Coordinates of all heavy atoms in Angstrom, one line a residue:
M1 N 253.6 -26.9 -0.5 CA 253.1 -26.1 0.7 C 254.1 -26.3 1.8 O 254.5 -27.4 2.1 CB 251.7 -26.6 1.0 CG 251.1 -25.9 2.2 SD 249.4 -26.4 2.7 CE 248.6 -25.8 1.3
S2 N 254.5 -25.2 2.4 CA 255.4 -25.3 3.5 C 254.7 -26.0 4.7 O 253.5 -26.0 4.9 CB 255.9 -23.9 3.9 OG 254.9 -23.2 4.6
E3 N 255.6 -26.5 5.6 CA 255.1 -27.2 6.8 C 254.2 -26.2 7.7 O 253.2 -26.6 8.2 CB 256.2 -27.8 7.7 CG 256.8 -29.0 7.1 CD 257.9 -29.6 7.9 OE1 257.8 -29.4 9.2 OE2 258.8 -30.2 7.4
E4 N 254.7 -25.0 7.9 CA 254.0 -24.1 8.7 C 252.7 -23.7 8.1 O 251.7 -23.6 8.8 CB 254.9 -22.8 8.9 CG 254.2 -21.8 9.9 CD 255.2 -20.7 10.2 OE1 256.4 -20.9 10.3 OE2 254.6 -19.5 10.2
T5 N 252.7 -23.5 6.8 CA 251.4 -23.2 6.1 C 250.4 -24.3 6.2 O 249.2 -24.1 6.5 CB 251.7 -22.9 4.6 OG1 252.6 -21.9 4.5 CG2 250.4 -22.6 3.8
F6 N 250.9 -25.6 6.0 CA 250.0 -26.7 6.2 C 249.5 -26.8 7.6 O 248.3 -27.0 7.9 CB 250.7 -28.0 5.8 CG 249.8 -29.2 6.0 CD1 248.9 -29.6 4.9 CD2 249.8 -30.0 7.1 CE1 248.1 -30.7 5.1 CE2 248.9 -31.0 7.3 CZ 248.1 -31.4 6.2
Q7 N 250.4 -26.6 8.6 CA 250.0 -26.7 10.0 C 248.9 -25.7 10.3 O 247.9 -26.0 10.9 CB 251.3 -26.4 10.8 CG 251.0 -26.3 12.3 CD 252.3 -25.9 13.0 OE1 253.4 -25.8 12.4 NE2 252.3 -25.6 14.3
N8 N 249.1 -24.5 9.9 CA 248.1 -23.4 10.1 C 246.8 -23.7 9.4 O 245.7 -23.5 10.0 CB 248.7 -22.0 9.8 CG 249.8 -21.6 10.7 OD1 249.9 -22.1 11.8 ND2 250.7 -20.8 10.2
R9 N 246.9 -24.1 8.2 CA 245.7 -24.3 7.3 C 244.8 -25.4 7.9 O 243.6 -25.3 7.9 CB 246.1 -24.5 5.9 CG 245.0 -24.6 5.0 CD 244.3 -23.2 4.9 NE 243.0 -23.3 4.2 CZ 241.8 -23.0 4.7 NH1 241.8 -22.4 5.9 NH2 240.7 -23.2 4.1
I10 N 245.4 -26.5 8.3 CA 244.6 -27.6 8.8 C 243.9 -27.2 10.1 O 242.8 -27.6 10.3 CB 245.5 -28.9 8.9 CG1 244.6 -30.1 9.1 CG2 246.4 -28.9 10.1 CD1 243.9 -30.5 7.8
K11 N 244.6 -26.5 10.9 CA 244.0 -26.0 12.2 C 242.9 -25.0 11.9 O 241.8 -25.1 12.5 CB 245.0 -25.4 13.1 CG 244.5 -25.1 14.5 CD 245.6 -24.7 15.4 CE 245.0 -24.4 16.8 NZ 246.0 -24.0 17.8
E12 N 243.1 -24.1 11.0 CA 242.1 -23.1 10.6 C 240.8 -23.8 10.0 O 239.7 -23.5 10.3 CB 242.6 -22.1 9.6 CG 243.6 -21.1 10.1 CD 244.3 -20.3 9.0 OE1 244.0 -20.5 7.9 OE2 245.2 -19.5 9.4
L13 N 241.1 -24.8 9.2 CA 240.0 -25.5 8.6 C 239.2 -26.3 9.6 O 238.0 -26.2 9.6 CB 240.7 -26.5 7.6 CG 239.7 -27.2 6.6 CD1 239.0 -26.1 5.8 CD2 240.5 -28.1 5.7
R14 N 239.9 -26.9 10.5 CA 239.2 -27.7 11.6 C 238.3 -26.7 12.4 O 237.2 -26.9 12.7 CB 240.1 -28.4 12.5 CG 239.4 -29.1 13.7 CD 240.3 -29.8 14.6 NE 241.3 -29.0 15.2 CZ 241.1 -28.2 16.2 NH1 239.9 -28.0 16.8 NH2 242.1 -27.5 16.8
E15 N 238.9 -25.6 12.8 CA 238.2 -24.6 13.6 C 237.1 -24.0 12.9 O 236.0 -23.6 13.5 CB 239.2 -23.5 14.1 CG 240.2 -24.0 15.1 CD 241.3 -23.0 15.5 OE1 241.5 -22.0 14.8 OE2 242.0 -23.3 16.5
S16 N 237.1 -23.9 11.6 CA 236.0 -23.3 10.8 C 234.8 -24.2 10.8 O 233.7 -23.7 10.6 CB 236.5 -23.1 9.3 OG 236.5 -24.3 8.6
T17 N 235.0 -25.5 11.2 CA 233.9 -26.4 11.2 C 233.1 -26.3 12.6 O 232.0 -26.8 12.7 CB 234.3 -27.8 11.1 OG1 235.1 -28.2 12.2 CG2 235.0 -28.1 9.8
G18 N 233.8 -25.7 13.6 CA 233.2 -25.6 14.9 C 233.4 -26.9 15.7 O 232.9 -27.0 16.8
L19 N 234.2 -27.8 15.1 CA 234.4 -29.1 15.8 C 235.7 -29.0 16.5 O 236.7 -28.4 16.1 CB 234.5 -30.2 14.8 CG 233.3 -30.4 13.9 CD1 233.6 -31.4 12.8 CD2 232.1 -30.8 14.7
N20 N 235.8 -29.7 17.7 CA 237.0 -29.9 18.3 C 237.8 -31.0 17.6 O 237.3 -31.6 16.7 CB 236.9 -30.1 19.8 CG 236.2 -31.5 20.1 OD1 236.4 -32.5 19.4 ND2 235.4 -31.5 21.2
R21 N 239.0 -31.2 18.0 CA 239.9 -32.1 17.3 C 239.3 -33.5 17.3 O 239.3 -34.2 16.2 CB 241.3 -32.1 17.9 CG 242.3 -32.8 17.0 CD 243.7 -32.8 17.5 NE 244.2 -31.4 17.6 CZ 245.1 -31.0 18.4 NH1 245.7 -31.9 19.3 NH2 245.5 -29.8 18.5
K22 N 238.8 -34.0 18.4 CA 238.2 -35.3 18.5 C 237.0 -35.5 17.6 O 236.9 -36.5 16.8 CB 237.8 -35.6 19.9 CG 237.3 -37.0 20.1 CD 236.9 -37.3 21.6 CE 236.5 -38.7 21.7 NZ 235.3 -38.9 22.4
E23 N 236.1 -34.5 17.6 CA 234.9 -34.5 16.7 C 235.3 -34.5 15.2 O 234.8 -35.2 14.4 CB 234.0 -33.3 17.0 CG 233.4 -33.4 18.4 CD 232.8 -32.1 18.8 OE1 233.2 -31.0 18.3 OE2 231.9 -32.1 19.7
F24 N 236.3 -33.7 14.9 CA 236.8 -33.5 13.5 C 237.4 -34.9 13.1 O 237.0 -35.4 12.0 CB 237.9 -32.5 13.5 CG 238.4 -32.2 12.1 CD1 237.7 -31.3 11.3 CD2 239.6 -32.8 11.6 CE1 238.2 -31.0 10.0 CE2 240.1 -32.5 10.4 CZ 239.4 -31.6 9.5
C25 N 238.1 -35.5 13.9 CA 238.7 -36.8 13.6 C 237.6 -37.9 13.4 O 237.7 -38.7 12.4 CB 239.7 -37.3 14.7 SG 241.1 -36.3 14.8
E26 N 236.6 -37.9 14.2 CA 235.5 -38.8 14.1 C 234.7 -38.6 12.8 O 234.4 -39.5 12.1 CB 234.6 -38.8 15.3 CG 235.3 -39.4 16.5 CD 234.5 -39.1 17.8 OE1 233.4 -38.4 17.8 OE2 234.9 -39.6 18.9
K27 N 234.5 -37.3 12.5 CA 233.7 -37.0 11.3 C 234.4 -37.4 10.0 O 233.8 -38.0 9.1 CB 233.4 -35.5 11.3 CG 232.6 -35.1 10.0 CD 232.2 -33.6 10.1 CE 231.4 -33.2 8.9 NZ 230.1 -33.8 8.8
F28 N 235.7 -37.2 10.0 CA 236.4 -37.5 8.8 C 237.2 -38.8 8.8 O 237.9 -39.2 7.9 CB 237.4 -36.4 8.4 CG 236.6 -35.1 8.0 CD1 236.5 -34.1 8.9 CD2 236.0 -35.0 6.8 CE1 235.8 -32.9 8.6 CE2 235.3 -33.9 6.4 CZ 235.2 -32.8 7.3
D29 N 237.0 -39.6 9.9 CA 237.6 -40.9 10.1 C 239.2 -40.8 9.9 O 239.8 -41.6 9.2 CB 237.0 -41.9 9.1 CG 237.3 -43.3 9.5 OD1 237.5 -43.6 10.7 OD2 237.3 -44.2 8.6
I30 N 239.7 -39.8 10.5 CA 241.2 -39.6 10.5 C 241.6 -39.9 12.0 O 241.1 -39.3 12.9 CB 241.6 -38.2 10.1 CG1 241.0 -37.8 8.7 CG2 243.1 -38.0 10.1 CD1 241.1 -36.4 8.4
P31 N 242.7 -40.7 12.1 CA 243.2 -40.9 13.5 C 243.5 -39.6 14.2 O 244.1 -38.7 13.7 CB 244.4 -41.8 13.3 CG 244.2 -42.4 12.0 CD 243.4 -41.4 11.2
Y32 N 243.1 -39.6 15.5 CA 243.4 -38.4 16.3 C 244.8 -38.0 16.3 O 245.2 -36.8 16.2 CB 242.9 -38.7 17.8 CG 243.0 -37.5 18.7 CD1 242.0 -36.5 18.7 CD2 244.1 -37.3 19.5 CE1 242.1 -35.4 19.6 CE2 244.2 -36.3 20.4 CZ 243.2 -35.3 20.4 OH 243.3 -34.2 21.3
R33 N 245.7 -39.0 16.5 CA 247.1 -38.7 16.5 C 247.6 -38.1 15.2 O 248.5 -37.2 15.2 CB 247.9 -40.0 16.8 CG 249.4 -39.7 16.8 CD 250.1 -40.5 17.8 NE 251.5 -40.1 17.8 CZ 252.4 -40.7 18.5 NH1 252.1 -41.7 19.2 NH2 253.6 -40.3 18.5
T34 N 247.0 -38.5 14.1 CA 247.4 -37.9 12.8 C 247.1 -36.5 12.7 O 248.0 -35.6 12.4 CB 246.7 -38.7 11.7 OG1 247.1 -40.1 11.7 CG2 247.1 -38.1 10.3
V35 N 245.9 -36.1 13.1 CA 245.5 -34.7 13.1 C 246.4 -33.8 14.1 O 246.8 -32.7 13.8 CB 244.0 -34.5 13.3 CG1 243.6 -33.0 13.4 CG2 243.2 -35.1 12.2
T36 N 246.6 -34.4 15.2 CA 247.4 -33.7 16.2 C 248.8 -33.5 15.6 O 249.4 -32.4 15.7 CB 247.6 -34.6 17.5 OG1 246.2 -34.8 18.0 CG2 248.4 -33.9 18.5
E37 N 249.4 -34.5 15.0 CA 250.7 -34.3 14.4 C 250.7 -33.3 13.3 O 251.7 -32.5 13.1 CB 251.2 -35.7 13.8 CG 251.5 -36.7 14.9 CD 252.7 -36.5 15.7 OE1 253.7 -36.1 15.2 OE2 252.6 -36.6 17.0
W38 N 249.6 -33.2 12.5 CA 249.5 -32.2 11.5 C 249.5 -30.8 12.1 O 250.2 -29.9 11.6 CB 248.2 -32.4 10.6 CG 248.2 -33.6 9.7 CD1 249.3 -34.4 9.4 CD2 247.1 -34.2 9.1 NE1 248.8 -35.4 8.5 CE2 247.5 -35.3 8.4 CE3 245.7 -33.8 9.1 CZ2 246.6 -36.0 7.6 CZ3 244.9 -34.6 8.3 CH2 245.3 -35.7 7.6
E39 N 248.6 -30.7 13.1 CA 248.5 -29.4 13.7 C 249.7 -28.9 14.4 O 250.0 -27.7 14.5 CB 247.3 -29.3 14.6 CG 246.0 -29.4 13.9 CD 244.8 -29.2 14.8 OE1 244.9 -29.0 16.0 OE2 243.6 -29.3 14.2
L40 N 250.5 -29.8 14.9 CA 251.7 -29.5 15.6 C 252.9 -29.3 14.7 O 254.0 -28.8 15.0 CB 252.1 -30.5 16.7 CG 251.2 -30.7 17.9 CD1 251.6 -31.9 18.7 CD2 251.1 -29.4 18.7
G41 N 252.7 -29.6 13.4 CA 253.7 -29.4 12.4 C 254.7 -30.6 12.4 O 255.8 -30.4 11.8
H42 N 254.4 -31.7 13.0 CA 255.4 -32.8 13.0 C 255.3 -33.6 11.8 O 256.2 -34.4 11.4 CB 255.1 -33.7 14.3 CG 255.4 -32.9 15.5 ND1 254.9 -33.3 16.7 CD2 256.1 -31.8 15.8 CE1 255.2 -32.5 17.7 NE2 256.0 -31.6 17.2
R43 N 254.1 -33.6 11.1 CA 253.8 -34.3 9.9 C 253.0 -33.5 9.0 O 252.2 -32.6 9.5 CB 253.1 -35.6 10.2 CG 253.9 -36.6 11.0 CD 253.1 -37.9 11.3 NE 252.4 -38.5 10.2 CZ 251.4 -39.3 10.3 NH1 251.0 -39.7 11.5 NH2 250.8 -39.8 9.2
N44 N 253.0 -33.8 7.7 CA 252.2 -33.2 6.7 C 251.4 -34.3 6.0 O 252.0 -35.3 5.7 CB 252.9 -32.3 5.7 CG 253.3 -31.0 6.3 OD1 252.8 -30.5 7.3 ND2 254.3 -30.4 5.6
A45 N 250.2 -34.0 5.6 CA 249.5 -34.9 4.8 C 249.8 -34.6 3.3 O 250.3 -33.5 3.0 CB 248.0 -34.8 5.0
P46 N 249.5 -35.5 2.4 CA 249.6 -35.1 1.0 C 248.7 -33.9 0.7 O 247.6 -33.8 1.3 CB 249.1 -36.4 0.2 CG 249.3 -37.5 1.2 CD 249.1 -36.9 2.6
S47 N 249.1 -33.1 -0.2 CA 248.3 -31.9 -0.5 C 246.9 -32.2 -0.9 O 246.0 -31.4 -0.7 CB 249.0 -31.0 -1.5 OG 249.2 -31.7 -2.7
Y48 N 246.7 -33.3 -1.6 CA 245.3 -33.6 -2.0 C 244.4 -33.8 -0.8 O 243.2 -33.6 -0.9 CB 245.3 -34.8 -3.0 CG 245.6 -36.2 -2.3 CD1 244.6 -36.9 -1.6 CD2 246.9 -36.7 -2.4 CE1 244.9 -38.1 -1.1 CE2 247.2 -37.9 -1.8 CZ 246.2 -38.6 -1.1 OH 246.5 -39.8 -0.5
V49 N 244.9 -34.3 0.3 CA 244.1 -34.5 1.5 C 243.5 -33.1 2.0 O 242.3 -33.0 2.3 CB 244.8 -35.2 2.6 CG1 244.0 -35.2 3.9 CG2 245.2 -36.6 2.2
L50 N 244.4 -32.1 2.0 CA 244.0 -30.8 2.4 C 243.0 -30.2 1.4 O 241.9 -29.7 1.8 CB 245.2 -29.9 2.6 CG 244.9 -28.5 3.1 CD1 244.2 -28.5 4.5 CD2 246.1 -27.7 3.2
R51 N 243.2 -30.4 0.2 CA 242.3 -29.9 -0.9 C 240.9 -30.6 -0.7 O 239.9 -30.0 -0.9 CB 242.9 -30.1 -2.3 CG 244.0 -29.1 -2.6 CD 244.3 -29.1 -4.1 NE 244.5 -30.5 -4.7 CZ 245.7 -31.1 -4.7 NH1 246.8 -30.5 -4.3 NH2 245.7 -32.3 -5.3
F52 N 240.9 -31.9 -0.5 CA 239.7 -32.6 -0.3 C 238.9 -32.1 0.9 O 237.7 -31.8 0.8 CB 239.9 -34.1 -0.2 CG 238.7 -34.8 0.3 CD1 237.7 -35.1 -0.6 CD2 238.5 -35.2 1.6 CE1 236.5 -35.7 -0.2 CE2 237.4 -35.9 2.0 CZ 236.4 -36.1 1.1
L53 N 239.6 -31.9 2.0 CA 238.9 -31.4 3.2 C 238.4 -30.1 3.0 O 237.2 -29.8 3.4 CB 239.9 -31.5 4.4 CG 240.3 -32.8 5.0 CD1 241.4 -32.7 6.0 CD2 239.1 -33.5 5.6
E54 N 239.1 -29.2 2.4 CA 238.7 -27.8 2.1 C 237.4 -27.9 1.2 O 236.4 -27.2 1.5 CB 239.8 -27.0 1.4 CG 240.9 -26.7 2.3 CD 242.1 -26.0 1.5 OE1 242.3 -26.3 0.3 OE2 242.8 -25.2 2.2
Y55 N 237.5 -28.7 0.2 CA 236.3 -28.8 -0.8 C 235.1 -29.3 0.0 O 234.0 -28.7 -0.2 CB 236.7 -29.7 -1.9 CG 235.6 -29.9 -2.9 CD1 235.2 -28.9 -3.8 CD2 234.8 -31.1 -2.8 CE1 234.1 -29.2 -4.7 CE2 233.8 -31.3 -3.7 CZ 233.4 -30.4 -4.6 OH 232.4 -30.6 -5.5
Y56 N 235.3 -30.4 0.7 CA 234.1 -31.0 1.4 C 233.5 -30.1 2.4 O 232.3 -29.9 2.4 CB 234.6 -32.3 2.1 CG 233.5 -33.0 2.8 CD1 232.7 -33.9 2.1 CD2 233.2 -32.8 4.1 CE1 231.6 -34.6 2.7 CE2 232.2 -33.4 4.7 CZ 231.4 -34.3 4.0 OH 230.3 -34.9 4.7
I57 N 234.3 -29.4 3.2 CA 233.8 -28.5 4.2 C 233.1 -27.3 3.5 O 232.0 -26.9 3.9 CB 234.9 -28.0 5.1 CG1 235.3 -29.2 6.0 CG2 234.5 -26.9 6.0 CD1 236.6 -29.0 6.8
R58 N 233.7 -26.8 2.4 CA 233.0 -25.7 1.7 C 231.7 -26.1 1.1 O 230.7 -25.4 1.2 CB 234.0 -25.2 0.6 CG 233.4 -24.0 -0.1 CD 234.4 -23.4 -1.1 NE 235.0 -24.3 -2.0 CZ 236.3 -24.7 -2.0 NH1 237.2 -24.1 -1.2 NH2 236.8 -25.6 -2.9
M59 N 231.6 -27.3 0.5 CA 230.4 -27.8 0.0 C 229.3 -28.0 1.1 O 228.1 -27.7 0.9 CB 230.6 -29.1 -0.8 CG 231.4 -28.9 -2.1 SD 230.5 -27.7 -3.3 CE 231.6 -26.3 -3.2
Q60 N 229.7 -28.5 2.2 CA 228.8 -28.8 3.3 C 228.2 -27.4 3.8 O 227.0 -27.3 4.1 CB 229.4 -29.5 4.4 CG 229.7 -31.0 4.1 CD 228.5 -31.8 3.7 OE1 227.5 -31.8 4.5 NE2 228.5 -32.4 2.6
K61 N 229.0 -26.4 3.9 CA 228.5 -25.1 4.3 C 227.6 -24.5 3.3 O 226.5 -23.9 3.6 CB 229.7 -24.1 4.5 CG 230.5 -24.4 5.8 CD 231.6 -23.4 6.0 CE 232.3 -23.7 7.2 NZ 233.4 -22.8 7.5
L62 N 227.9 -24.7 2.0 CA 226.9 -24.2 0.9 C 225.6 -24.9 1.0 O 224.5 -24.3 0.8 CB 227.6 -24.3 -0.4 CG 228.7 -23.4 -0.8 CD1 229.4 -23.8 -2.1 CD2 228.3 -22.0 -0.8
I63 N 225.6 -26.2 1.2 CA 224.4 -27.0 1.3 C 223.6 -26.5 2.5 O 222.4 -26.3 2.4 CB 224.7 -28.5 1.4 CG1 225.3 -29.0 0.1 CG2 223.5 -29.3 1.8 CD1 225.9 -30.4 0.1
K64 N 224.2 -26.3 3.6 CA 223.5 -25.9 4.8 C 222.9 -24.5 4.6 O 221.8 -24.2 5.0 CB 224.5 -25.8 6.0 CG 223.8 -25.2 7.3 CD 224.1 -26.0 8.5 CE 223.6 -25.5 9.7 NZ 222.2 -25.1 9.7
E65 N 223.7 -23.6 4.0 CA 223.2 -22.3 3.7 C 221.9 -22.3 2.8 O 220.9 -21.6 3.0 CB 224.2 -21.4 3.0 CG 225.3 -20.9 4.0 CD 226.4 -20.2 3.3 OE1 226.3 -19.9 2.1 OE2 227.5 -20.0 3.9
K66 N 222.0 -23.2 1.7 CA 220.9 -23.3 0.8 C 219.6 -23.9 1.6 O 218.5 -23.4 1.4 CB 221.3 -24.3 -0.3 CG 220.2 -24.5 -1.3 CD 220.6 -25.4 -2.4 CE 219.4 -25.5 -3.4 NZ 219.6 -26.6 -4.4
E67 N 219.9 -24.9 2.4 CA 218.7 -25.4 3.2 C 218.1 -24.4 4.1 O 216.9 -24.3 4.2 CB 219.2 -26.7 4.0 CG 219.5 -27.9 3.1 CD 220.2 -29.0 3.9 OE1 220.6 -28.8 5.1 OE2 220.3 -30.1 3.3
D68 N 219.0 -23.6 4.8 CA 218.5 -22.5 5.6 C 217.7 -21.5 4.9 O 216.7 -21.1 5.3 CB 219.7 -21.9 6.4 CG 220.4 -22.8 7.4 OD1 219.8 -23.8 7.7 OD2 221.5 -22.4 7.9
N69 N 218.2 -21.1 3.7 CA 217.5 -20.2 2.9 C 216.1 -20.7 2.4 O 215.1 -20.0 2.4 CB 218.3 -19.7 1.7 CG 219.4 -18.8 2.0 OD1 219.4 -18.1 3.0 ND2 220.5 -18.8 1.2
E70 N 216.1 -22.0 2.1 CA 214.8 -22.6 1.7 C 213.8 -22.7 2.8 O 212.6 -22.4 2.6 CB 215.1 -24.0 1.1 CG 215.8 -23.9 -0.3 CD 216.2 -25.3 -0.8 OE1 216.0 -26.3 -0.1 OE2 216.7 -25.4 -1.9
E71 N 214.3 -22.9 4.0 CA 213.5 -22.9 5.2 C 212.9 -21.5 5.4 O 211.7 -21.4 5.7 CB 214.2 -23.4 6.4 CG 214.4 -24.8 6.6 CD 215.1 -25.3 7.8 OE1 215.1 -24.5 8.8 OE2 215.7 -26.3 7.8
L72 N 213.7 -20.5 5.3 CA 213.3 -19.1 5.5 C 212.2 -18.7 4.5 O 211.2 -18.1 4.8 CB 214.4 -18.2 5.5 CG 215.4 -18.2 6.7 CD1 216.6 -17.2 6.4 CD2 214.7 -17.8 7.9
Q73 N 212.4 -19.1 3.3 CA 211.5 -18.8 2.2 C 210.2 -19.6 2.4 O 209.1 -19.1 2.1 CB 212.1 -19.1 0.9 CG 213.2 -18.1 0.5 CD 213.8 -18.4 -0.8 OE1 213.5 -19.4 -1.5 NE2 214.8 -17.6 -1.2
G74 N 210.3 -20.8 3.0 CA 209.1 -21.6 3.2 C 208.3 -21.0 4.4 O 207.1 -21.3 4.4
D75 N 208.9 -20.3 5.3 CA 208.2 -19.7 6.4 C 207.4 -18.5 6.0 O 206.5 -18.0 6.7 CB 209.2 -19.2 7.5 CG 209.8 -20.4 8.2 OD1 209.3 -21.6 8.1 OD2 210.8 -20.3 8.9
K76 N 207.6 -17.9 4.8 CA 206.9 -16.7 4.4 C 205.5 -17.0 3.9 O 205.2 -18.0 3.4 CB 207.7 -16.0 3.3 CG 209.0 -15.4 3.9 CD 209.8 -14.7 2.8 CE 211.1 -14.1 3.4 NZ 211.8 -13.4 2.5

């Protein structure tokens, strides 16, 4: 993955969570400076880190959607 692609993808991924950089770092226990360096394109993480974050965030969204749907169905 190119540096620019990684840089854009990590920022998009963080923004998709609705978390600011500090909150994102705290949630995933990643040093603030590390994420900042990734987003600025000064460093790249191994590709498996990005894949893990994408997977985890996607699964959390699916779980939340399922819980929301179950709540709605329970209200009927």
Side-chain angles (χ1 to χ4, degrees):
M1 176 178 295
S2 74
E3 287 183 28
E4 187 175 317
T5 302
F6 180 86
Q7 172 186 357
N8 293 334
R9 187 65 192 123
I10 195 72
K11 187 172 182 179
E12 289 170 2
L13 193 58
R14 177 182 59 78
E15 290 173 346
S16 77
T17 66
L19 301 173
N20 64 35
R21 194 177 296 157
K22 183 178 185 227
E23 294 166 336
F24 185 85
C25 293
E26 289 172 356
K27 178 172 181 66
F28 292 103
D29 200 25
I30 303 170
Y32 183 84
R33 178 143 185 189
T34 298
V35 174
T36 300
E37 295 288 314
W38 290 347
E39 289 187 4
L40 293 174
H42 298 158
R43 293 175 50 197
N44 283 342
S47 60
Y48 69 85
V49 172
L50 185 58
R51 286 193 311 269
F52 168 76
L53 288 170
E54 289 173 331
Y55 176 80
Y56 181 85
I57 290 167
R58 184 172 52 244
M59 290 300 110
Q60 290 300 307
K61 284 182 180 183
L62 288 173
I63 290 168
K64 175 134 178 47
E65 287 173 9
K66 182 179 179 192
E67 290 171 351
D68 291 347
N69 286 336
E70 288 173 355
E71 280 182 22
L72 288 175
Q73 290 176 356
D75 290 342
K76 292 182 180 180

